[in-house]
Amino acid sequence: MSTSSKQVHEKGPPDTTVASDSASGSVEVVNAESQHLQRKMRGKEVQLFAIGGAIGTSLFVQMGSALPKGGPAGLFLGFVIWSVVMLAVNECFAEMVCYMPVPSPFIRFGSEWVDEAFGFAMGWNFFLNMAFLVPFEIVALNILFSFWTTAIPVYAVIIVVMILYAILNVISVRWFGIAEFYLSIFKVLLICGCIAFTFITMVGGNPEHDRYGFRYWRNPGSFIEYGAKGNTGRSLGVLTCVIQATFSICGPEYVTMTAAEAANPRKILPMAFRSFVWRILIFFCGSALCIGIVIPSNDPTLAAVLDGESKGTGAASPYVIAMQRLDISGLADLVNALIMTSVFSAGNGILFSATRTLYGMSLKGEAPRCLSNCTKAGIPLYCLGVSISFCLLAFLQISSSSSAVLGYLVDLVTACQLINYMCTAITYRHFYAALKAQGISRDSLPYKGRFQPYTSYFAIGGCLFMILASGYYLFLDGAWDIMYFFLTYAMLGFFFLAAIFWKVVKRTTYVKPGTADLELDGQKQEIDVYEAIYTPSESGKQGGFFNRMFE
């Protein structure tokens, strides 16, 4: 590590603008003299960023769309099944990223340890993953608005949100990390409040003093037949809930986003990856259980929202619907408003991630070089313009229902996420082979993945199965739809075409298993030196409390 870089870690450069790259994990310090990597995120910031990034619109809104198809038990079982696969994916992320905490880790590992064409396709796939999520958040906002009124034109909501996102991504770069920290705390409190609401009301703590418990598991039933009759239909209902879980459950990639920003990363990151287990149990599986408790699978309000027929009663969140059913005065309005702030902040953060991902690719020559031009404050305006242009997809609501547009975007995003996870597990196979061939004991690693290499095989198999099975409904009698076939499988075709394109144009070389450069051209040594000289900064009473809790 250079002397100037050491000075940055110890004192920080004067007169700088810090641009946190939440998609790639890098922090750009823009001044007249130099650009340096800053590692300042403590354990509390890393943990809360990972938690806040995982808690999004799906937990509050979209998850309920699978309830009428699988029933409460089917929904819960579907999330439990996919959680097991995601735990396997997490082990692949964790071992590699903790060993080499660099910017854009899983994308870079794909380029360095598998093939540059493989990494190129992963990079564009991840960018599109983020870019498609931004209009998803805007569409969700419009549905949440319909809880109060449908008088606001759809195009007005879209335009106003796009303008606000553009302004916030231009003026708030310096404070993005701080804002995300506190917004993550807010999201955690909100989802914990929804879980507490479920427990309190199900045991009789509601205006009607109705101890409804697991009533809706008995009537209309625990499992729903979907697409067929009998056990086949119930199995397809559970499969549909697993597909919803593949969209909803995320988290390991948000930890990797902080890899190059974390102070003392080989101590902090392993704890963040290990906590993914309880994040899955509490937030994802817990929410799936709660949603099946608070409303029945045949709730008419939920059915109206999903069919795009709600007129002024568009309570998109199952929790809001439950509050209306129990006639808890004012609470439904309050929670709907709080969910809207969470959805808005999620879209803003995702846009930031998409912008920085595209910027990173332009610097490497994997996107047009002109996009890398920045303002004096270090803001890549061209990348921001390209990323925010994806918000125009939200205008599809004008000709289609909002719920239908949500479905379009969910299909695209789900495919992107599954490809990301499968490619990460494939990259791990090369990493594991290189460790073995080069005589590096896995016991010496900062994080040793459990049950490897079998975990990686399970992750690859689970992701591949869900990529292929996610469009199963198209092959039911009379259900074929060319548009949904495209939405479900287009990203898989795009990935292969992107890899082939880069392979032909750049004549890249496949890295044979066991031959990968695990030093990443000397960067491992730089990180080793950094950690050897690292001295924890002093924290105030509040900061010290959070650090002890998370570290």
Side-chain angles (χ1 to χ4, degrees):
M1 183 178 291
S2 64
T3 302
S4 60
S5 183
K6 291 180 183 179
Q7 291 172 348
V8 171
H9 290 306
E10 294 170 0
K11 300 179 181 179
D15 190 24
T16 61
T17 298
V18 180
S20 172
D21 181 349
S22 63
S24 64
S26 64
V27 173
E28 301 164 58
V29 182
V30 183
N31 59 17
E33 299 177 356
S34 60
Q35 294 184 352
H36 296 290
L37 180 68
Q38 295 287 285
R39 292 187 179 272
K40 294 184 179 294
M41 292 186 72
R42 299 291 300 275
K44 62 181 187 295
E45 284 94 351
V46 172
Q47 292 274 20
L48 285 169
F49 183 84
I51 295 170
I55 298 175
T57 305
S58 181
L59 282 181
F60 298 114
V61 180
Q62 183 63 21
M63 190 183 293
S65 65
L67 181 61
K69 301 173 183 178
L75 181 64
F76 179 65
L77 182 59
F79 271 73
V80 170
I81 291 172
W82 186 246
S83 293
V84 177
V85 179
M86 283 303 299
L87 289 174
V89 172
N90 181 71
E91 295 303 295
C92 297
F93 272 106
E95 189 167 314
M96 293 188 295
V97 175
C98 292
Y99 171 80
M100 186 65 72
V102 295
S104 304
F106 66 96
I107 296 174
R108 184 168 181 188
F109 297 158
S111 294
E112 299 280 353
W113 296 342
V114 182
D115 194 307
E116 286 184 27
F118 187 75
F120 171 80
M122 287 181 69
W124 275 101
N125 182 72
F126 185 73
F127 165 71
L128 292 174
N129 185 6
M130 295 291 102
F132 287 137
L133 273 172
V134 182
F136 170 83
E137 305 294 343
I138 296 177
V139 175
L141 271 175
N142 188 64
I143 294 179
L144 290 166
F145 263 121
S146 71
F147 174 68
W148 293 299
T149 178
T150 56
I152 302 176
V154 171
Y155 65 84
V157 175
I158 299 170
I159 292 173
V160 170
V161 173
M162 287 178 65
I163 292 173
L164 291 175
Y165 279 169
I167 293 173
L168 290 172
N169 273 265
V170 168
I171 68 173
S172 66
V173 173
R174 182 186 295 271
W175 307 107
F176 180 84
I178 297 174
E180 190 64 30
F181 173 74
Y182 288 105
L183 285 171
S184 295
I185 295 177
F186 168 77
K187 290 179 183 180
V188 171
L189 294 176
L190 181 57
I191 191 62
C192 289
C194 290
I195 294 173
F197 162 82
T198 302
F199 177 76
I200 292 171
T201 57
M202 72 183 291
V203 297
N206 57 73
E208 300 176 4
H209 304 290
D210 180 15
R211 299 181 181 180
Y212 59 88
F214 285 84
R215 176 185 302 161
Y216 303 133
W217 285 52
R218 298 186 297 272
N219 182 23
S222 300
F223 293 94
I224 301 295
E225 296 176 354
Y226 182 74
K229 297 293 184 180
N231 290 332
T232 300
R234 285 185 283 271
S235 298
L236 291 178
V238 173
L239 178 58
T240 303
C241 294
V242 177
I243 294 172
Q244 177 62 47
T246 62
F247 171 78
S248 300
I249 299 178
C250 56
E253 65 270 39
Y254 288 99
V255 180
T256 69
M257 290 176 188
T258 68
E261 298 179 47
N264 202 10
R266 289 176 180 148
K267 176 184 176 183
I268 291 174
L269 293 177
M271 291 184 290
F273 281 112
R274 290 189 187 102
S275 67
F276 182 64
V277 176
W278 63 261
R279 289 203 298 274
I280 278 186
L281 292 175
I282 295 177
F283 297 127
F284 297 110
C285 294
S287 292
L289 179 63
C290 289
I291 286 173
I293 292 174
V294 295
I295 62 172
S297 57
N298 60 356
D299 181 83
T301 302
L302 179 62
V305 172
L306 296 178
D307 292 338
E309 299 174 354
S310 60
K311 301 296 182 183
T313 59
S317 170
Y319 297 108
V320 175
I321 295 175
M323 293 165 189
Q324 284 185 307
R325 290 175 63 93
L326 293 171
D327 195 25
I328 303 177
S329 178
L331 187 58
D333 296 271
L334 174 63
V335 171
N336 196 69
L338 293 176
I339 292 174
M340 286 183 67
T341 62
S342 177
V343 171
F344 180 84
S345 68
N348 185 50
I350 291 167
L351 177 63
F352 190 95
S353 298
T355 300
R356 266 48 186 191
T357 300
L358 185 60
Y359 176 65
M361 289 192 295
S362 70
L363 291 178
K364 295 190 297 181
E366 295 178 352
R369 291 280 187 180
C370 62
L371 295 177
S372 60
N373 293 332
C374 295
T375 65
K376 291 182 180 180
I379 300 166
L381 285 180
Y382 295 149
C383 291
L384 175 60
V386 172
S387 300
I388 206 169
S389 67
F390 280 79
C391 295
L392 298 176
L393 291 172
F395 281 102
L396 289 171
Q397 296 173 92
I398 295 176
S399 58
S400 301
S401 70
S402 297
S403 60
V405 177
L406 277 182
Y408 304 156
L409 296 171
V410 165
D411 283 350
L412 289 170
V413 171
T414 299
C416 289
Q417 289 186 171
L418 287 170
I419 292 170
N420 281 334
Y421 297 148
M422 184 177 70
C423 289
T424 299
I426 292 172
T427 303
Y428 177 83
R429 295 296 309 124
H430 285 69
F431 173 72
Y432 182 89
L435 289 174
K436 188 174 181 179
Q438 296 171 31
I440 301 175
S441 172
R442 293 179 59 243
D443 292 327
S444 67
L445 302 180
Y447 186 105
K448 182 180 179 182
R450 287 166 285 193
F451 310 115
Q452 295 286 18
Y454 309 107
T455 305
S456 61
Y457 292 133
F458 182 69
I460 294 171
C463 291
L464 179 60
F465 174 79
M466 290 310 302
I467 289 173
L468 299 177
S470 58
Y472 82 89
Y473 58 90
L474 295 169
F475 303 99
L476 300 175
D477 291 340
W480 175 257
D481 190 311
I482 188 65
M483 182 185 70
Y484 278 100
F485 179 83
F486 175 81
L487 291 171
T488 303
Y489 297 109
M491 294 313 303
L492 184 61
F494 171 82
F495 181 88
F496 283 114
L497 290 175
I500 293 171
F501 167 77
W502 205 246
K503 187 78 175 176
V504 172
V505 171
K506 294 295 183 179
R507 299 182 182 275
T508 62
T509 302
Y510 173 69
V511 180
K512 295 181 179 179
T515 63
D517 175 19
L518 297 181
E519 297 288 325
L520 283 187
D521 198 24
Q523 286 202 32
K524 180 180 182 298
Q525 184 178 1
E526 289 191 9
I527 297 172
D528 291 341
V529 172
Y530 159 78
E531 291 200 321
I533 65 173
Y534 171 75
T535 302
S537 59
E538 295 184 3
S539 303
K541 292 183 179 179
Q542 182 180 12
F545 168 75
F546 277 111
N547 287 329
R548 287 191 298 271
M549 184 171 63
F550 287 112
E551 296 179 9

